[in-house]
């Protein structure tokens, strides 16, 4: 096999394929260049979804004739001069860095003018070679017209999607990038028909609410956080609003739209126990990270990033979002409330709630701490318990079925969260030694503080046993060996460098699950009513800590459908 050197034209087309995959790639690069150029209005026009033509115009700083010639050539940029400059790069793109890739696989026309120049410049480039240049009239700014994308790479054309799919992809990108730049007006059209348009807004939150639509805008909140030189601004939905996929999750790093598994994992962790498994919140996360602490050149298209302090970023996102849902109980918190038979149970309805420091399974439950008020009386009538698992009751006039285990689990989990800040006055003493396997004894002995923070105080006893000195509530009937073994398994299997707050949350979830009323456990009518009342008075009571729904309303519509009315 003979090794041969490729010609420059082939090299350019191969390189272009790494950056320019489809019309969306062109739209992204040109829009980012317009943002870097300081454009206050950016207009994107497509023909056939960009397969035939892409035109991006801005009113930014423009370019001189020399600059536009250089921009079309390979390895030219206005952003860096040497390799060390990459560490401090803060712009979205390198003006010219991707343009050469675009002009190599299309017929491209540049029309640009700087404010201080009397005339602008029109430059025509076909397949990477300049074919025509002339002075031209234009207001300050730049227009780039890309025609016949991949005309000279027919193999790539076969893999392009339909005009409709490409238009939708472009609209999705423009509507997202617009969130980070509320001061810029964006418009997108295809074949002369408006697809997306937004006027300048004062804040990012305004843009996010507009994207969410009127139905969900009222469920959005925002928080800010910081750690060292990194700043975070997040706009996100309350737990009662969630979606079946992550399409409503958007992340920006220094104004750059990115995809990153670690960022989505941080959001998932913040909502753990608040929304059902397989559901995802709406969120727009804006991170401002020092340029020397983030690498934006991991991927040719610059859609992925690498952080030097990855754990710190994860923790910042988690703490900022989670803190919104774990504030003092005097603030309003989403809780389940039945409003009428005509309205659905779960989508909406909120009320202020008061904390409870006991499980309350019967009249022998300990009294509340001095100064927290009794729960608001709710009209609850218990009918029966089915399969020793499900409670059939009437709540606020509506028939409901409640899973006793996961309702109890939610109560205990919330109590454990509150107890971390203000432990209750009464504790239950369990003095019988609990024997565990050797590996579990070693793991628990090394993590006594973490176990204690999860709501159960243990003390080593002999070579492989523990004495449970106290728990933070009056849960009873649980299997202490099973609980300790589950905690040991979680501690030993947790990924290296798992944030402490994440690990603590997992341990509390396990503790709540093992100490909760179990499926198959017979309850008296009084115990069932106490459990239901306590559950209804808890904050974020739509799901258990694992995300499973706790209560289902038996609506008239449901019964009608069962009997085909």
């Amino acid at each position: 096999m003979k090794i041969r050197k490729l010609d420059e034209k082939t090299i350019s087309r191969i390189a272009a394929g790494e950056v320019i995959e489809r019309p969306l790639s062109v739209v992204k690069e040109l829009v980012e260049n317009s943002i870097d150029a300081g454009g206050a209005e950016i207009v994107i026009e497509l023909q056939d979804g960009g397969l035939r033509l892409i035109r991006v115009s801005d009113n930014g700083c423009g370019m001189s004739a020399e600059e536009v010639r250089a921009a079309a050539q390979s390895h030219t940029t206005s952003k860096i001069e040497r390799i060390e400059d990459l560490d401090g790069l803060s712009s979205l793109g390198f003006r010219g860095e991707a343009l050469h890739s675009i002009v190599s696989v299309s017929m491209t026309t540049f029309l640009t003018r700087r404010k201080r120049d009397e005339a602008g410049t029109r430059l025509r480039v076909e397949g990477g070679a300049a074919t025509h240049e002339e002075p031209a009239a234009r207001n300050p700014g730049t227009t780039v017209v890309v025609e016949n994308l991949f005309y000279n790479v027919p193999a790539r054309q076969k893999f392009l999607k339909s005009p409709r799919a490409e238009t939708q992809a472009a609209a999705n990108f423009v509507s997202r990038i617009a969130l980070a730049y509320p001061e810029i007006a964006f418009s997108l059209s295809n074949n002369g028909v408006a697809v997306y348009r937004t006027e300048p807004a004062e804040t990012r939150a305004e843009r996010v609410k507009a994207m969410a639509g009127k139905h969900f805008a009222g469920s959005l909140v925002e928080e800010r956080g910081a750690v060292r030189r990194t700043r975070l601004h997040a706009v996100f939905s309350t737990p009662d609003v969630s979606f079946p996929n992550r399409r409503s999750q958007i992340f920006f790093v220094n104004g750059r739209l990115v995809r990153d598994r670690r960022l989505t994992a941080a959001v998932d962790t913040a909502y753990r126990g608040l929304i059902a498994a397989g559901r995802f919140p709406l969120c727009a996360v804006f991170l401002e990270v020092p340029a020397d602490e983030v690498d934006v050149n991991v991927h040719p298209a610059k859609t992925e990033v690498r952080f030097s302090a990855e754990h710190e970023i994860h923790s910042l996102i988690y703490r900022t979002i989670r803190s919104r849902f774990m504030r003092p109980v005097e603030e309003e918190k989403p809780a389940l409330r039945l409003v009428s038979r005509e309205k659905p149970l779960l989508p909406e309805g909120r009320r202020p709630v008061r904390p409870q420091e006991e499980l309350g399974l019967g009249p022998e439950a300990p009294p509340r701490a001095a100064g927290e008020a009794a729960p608001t009386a709710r009209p609850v009538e218990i009918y029966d318990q089915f399969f020793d698992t499900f409670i059939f009751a009437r709540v606020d006039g509506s028939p409901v079925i409640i899973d006793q285990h996961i309702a109890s689990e939610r109560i205990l989990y919330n109590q454990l969260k509150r107890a971390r800040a203000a432990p209750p006055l009464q504790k239950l003493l369990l003095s019988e030694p609990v024997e565990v396997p050797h590996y579990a004894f070693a793991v628990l002995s090394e993590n006594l503080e973490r176990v204690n923070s999860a709501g159960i105080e243990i003390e080593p006893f002999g070579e492989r046993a523990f004495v449970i000195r106290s728990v933070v509530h009056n849960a009873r009937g649980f299997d202490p060996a099973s609980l300790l073994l589950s905690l040991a398994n979680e501690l030993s299997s947790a990924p290296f460098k798992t944030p402490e707050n994440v690990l603590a949350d997992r341990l509390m979830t396990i503790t709540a699950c093992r100490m909760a009323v179990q499926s198959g456990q017979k309850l008296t009518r009084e115990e069932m009513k106490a459990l239901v009342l306590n559950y209804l008075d808890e904050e974020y009571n739509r799901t258990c800590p694992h995300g499973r729904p706790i209560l289902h309303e038996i609506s008239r519509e449901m019964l009608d459908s069962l009997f085909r009315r």
Side-chain angles (χ1 to χ4, degrees):
M1 180 169 53
K2 184 177 181 181
I3 305 295
R4 59 177 62 86
K5 181 178 176 64
L6 295 175
D7 61 87
E8 290 300 322
K9 189 173 293 186
T10 303
I11 292 173
S12 295
R13 293 179 186 177
I14 292 174
E18 296 182 355
V19 178
I20 308 303
E21 300 175 344
R22 56 190 294 198
L24 172 62
S25 306
V26 177
V27 171
K28 177 181 180 299
E29 294 294 342
L30 297 183
V31 168
E32 289 181 347
N33 282 343
S34 291
I35 294 173
D36 283 341
E41 182 177 7
I42 301 175
V43 179
I44 306 101
E45 301 168 89
L46 307 178
Q47 290 184 10
D48 294 343
L51 300 176
R52 186 152 56 98
L53 180 143
I54 301 168
R55 179 185 290 112
V56 176
S57 304
D58 65 58
N59 58 354
C61 63
M63 293 181 283
S64 66
E66 292 76 17
E67 289 172 333
V68 73
R69 288 190 214 109
Q73 298 175 13
S74 63
H75 303 109
T76 60
T77 175
S78 63
K79 302 303 188 328
I80 64 173
E81 293 183 1
R82 52 185 181 171
I83 190 65
E84 289 79 9
D85 294 340
L86 287 173
D87 293 335
L89 189 66
S90 59
S91 59
L92 294 180
F94 302 65
R95 175 67 99 167
E97 180 253 355
L99 286 179
H100 179 68
S101 295
I102 295 173
V103 302
S104 296
V105 291
S106 68
M107 300 177 180
T108 306
T109 302
F110 296 88
L111 177 59
T112 183
R113 179 194 154 208
R114 298 183 300 181
K115 187 174 182 180
R116 63 178 177 269
D117 296 335
E118 293 185 1
T121 302
R122 178 182 284 110
L123 176 67
R124 176 76 170 180
V125 184
E126 298 183 3
T131 60
H132 182 74
E133 180 183 337
E134 63 179 358
R138 194 203 190 279
N139 291 330
T142 300
T143 296
V144 182
V145 181
V146 178
E147 301 174 272
N148 303 321
L149 186 63
F150 298 127
Y151 80 98
N152 53 358
V153 191
R156 178 56 64 88
Q157 286 184 323
K158 294 188 299 184
F159 295 95
L160 294 177
K161 297 184 178 181
S162 67
R164 180 178 180 181
E166 293 296 344
T167 301
Q168 184 57 46
N172 185 53
F173 165 74
V174 175
S175 64
R176 287 172 174 242
I177 196 69
L179 302 181
Y181 301 94
E183 71 280 6
I184 301 177
F186 293 87
S187 65
L188 169 67
S189 64
N190 181 56
N191 295 338
V193 178
V195 176
Y196 174 83
R197 179 170 180 79
T198 182
E199 297 297 330
E202 291 189 6
T203 64
R204 289 169 171 172
E206 286 184 34
R207 282 271 170 93
V208 177
K209 290 181 179 180
M211 180 198 72
K214 294 181 179 179
H215 184 72
F216 296 112
S219 298
L220 297 182
V221 294
E222 60 179 317
E223 288 289 338
R224 298 179 186 272
V227 58
R228 295 193 304 112
R229 295 187 294 159
T230 297
R231 300 291 180 267
L232 169 67
H233 177 206
V235 183
F236 48 97
S237 59
T238 52
D240 50 335
V241 172
S242 62
F243 302 86
N245 52 54
R246 299 184 191 277
R247 291 178 183 173
S248 297
Q249 296 186 356
I250 308 168
F251 299 89
F252 294 90
V253 176
N254 297 342
R256 184 188 306 279
L257 185 62
V258 301
R259 300 189 303 264
D260 190 283
R261 296 190 309 272
R262 293 149 296 193
L263 300 183
T264 59
V267 173
D268 288 347
T269 305
Y271 279 85
R272 180 172 292 144
L274 300 177
I275 62 177
R279 303 286 295 184
F280 305 94
L282 181 155
C283 69
V285 175
F286 306 91
L287 279 165
E288 299 297 329
V289 185
D292 59 350
E293 294 185 14
V294 59
D295 182 2
V296 301
N297 292 294
V298 180
H299 188 275
K302 300 186 291 295
T303 57
E304 299 176 10
V305 293
R306 182 182 293 121
F307 301 101
S308 61
E310 179 180 309
H311 168 77
E312 203 172 67
I313 299 295
H314 183 288
S315 180
L316 174 61
I317 295 174
Y318 170 85
R319 287 186 289 102
T320 301
I321 295 178
R322 190 76 173 185
S323 66
R324 180 73 185 204
F325 306 136
M326 296 300 170
R327 285 182 169 174
V329 295
E330 286 76 14
E331 298 187 21
E332 183 180 19
K333 298 182 179 181
L336 182 120
R337 180 183 177 121
L338 303 182
V339 289
S340 73
R341 292 189 181 183
E342 289 72 29
K343 294 184 178 180
L345 173 66
L346 295 177
E348 56 193 10
R350 301 175 182 171
R351 66 183 180 88
V353 299
R354 300 179 177 88
Q356 294 189 237
E357 302 298 342
E358 74 284 338
L359 178 59
L361 284 182
E364 73 280 14
R368 296 172 181 273
E372 295 187 301
T376 304
R378 303 285 298 278
V380 172
E381 182 179 357
I382 302 298
Y383 292 142
D384 209 341
Q385 180 189 34
F386 293 94
F387 310 112
D388 291 342
T389 297
F390 304 104
I391 299 173
F392 184 31
R394 180 191 291 269
V395 177
D396 292 344
S398 296
V400 299
I401 294 179
I402 298 172
D403 187 306
Q404 65 188 38
H405 170 67
I406 54 182
S408 174
E409 194 175 20
R410 166 53 69 185
I411 295 170
L412 290 174
Y413 175 82
N414 287 4
Q415 289 175 356
L416 290 171
K417 295 291 290 188
R418 291 191 291 265
R420 281 173 61 83
L425 299 178
Q426 292 190 341
K427 295 183 179 182
L428 177 65
L429 181 64
L430 301 175
S431 58
E432 281 292 318
V434 180
E435 190 172 275
V436 297
H438 287 292
Y439 84 90
F441 181 83
V443 171
L444 294 172
S445 297
E446 294 173 1
N447 293 274
L448 287 177
E449 187 174 342
R450 290 189 175 107
V451 174
N452 291 342
S453 70
I456 175 172
E457 295 183 14
I458 63 174
E459 183 179 299
F461 184 86
E463 296 183 355
R464 52 177 296 187
F466 292 94
V467 173
I468 298 179
R469 290 303 183 191
S470 61
V471 293
V472 297
H473 43 66
N474 71 324
R476 60 186 189 277
F478 66 92
D479 181 355
S482 175
L483 170 58
L484 293 182
L485 194 58
S486 296
L487 293 174
N489 289 338
E490 181 63 35
L491 286 165
S492 60
S493 62
F496 181 64
K497 290 186 177 180
T498 298
E500 280 297 322
N501 49 11
V502 175
L503 184 57
D505 189 80
R506 291 178 181 174
L507 296 179
M508 284 188 289
T509 299
I510 290 172
T511 302
C513 182
R514 294 293 181 267
M515 288 186 171
V517 174
Q518 299 299 308
S519 297
Q521 183 175 342
K522 189 72 174 177
L523 299 179
T524 65
R525 191 174 296 274
E526 290 74 21
E527 288 175 332
M528 285 188 279
K529 186 167 185 177
L531 176 61
V532 172
L533 284 171
N534 282 310
Y535 152 68
L536 290 172
D537 202 50
E538 280 295 342
E539 64 268 35
Y540 297 107
N541 58 5
R542 297 172 182 273
T543 64
C544 74
H546 301 96
R548 294 176 294 174
I550 298 174
L551 178 150
H552 287 284
E553 180 185 17
I554 304 174
S555 65
R556 175 60 187 264
E557 292 77 11
M558 180 189 298
L559 295 176
D560 284 344
S561 65
L562 288 175
F563 294 97
R564 299 182 182 178
R565 284 183 170 269

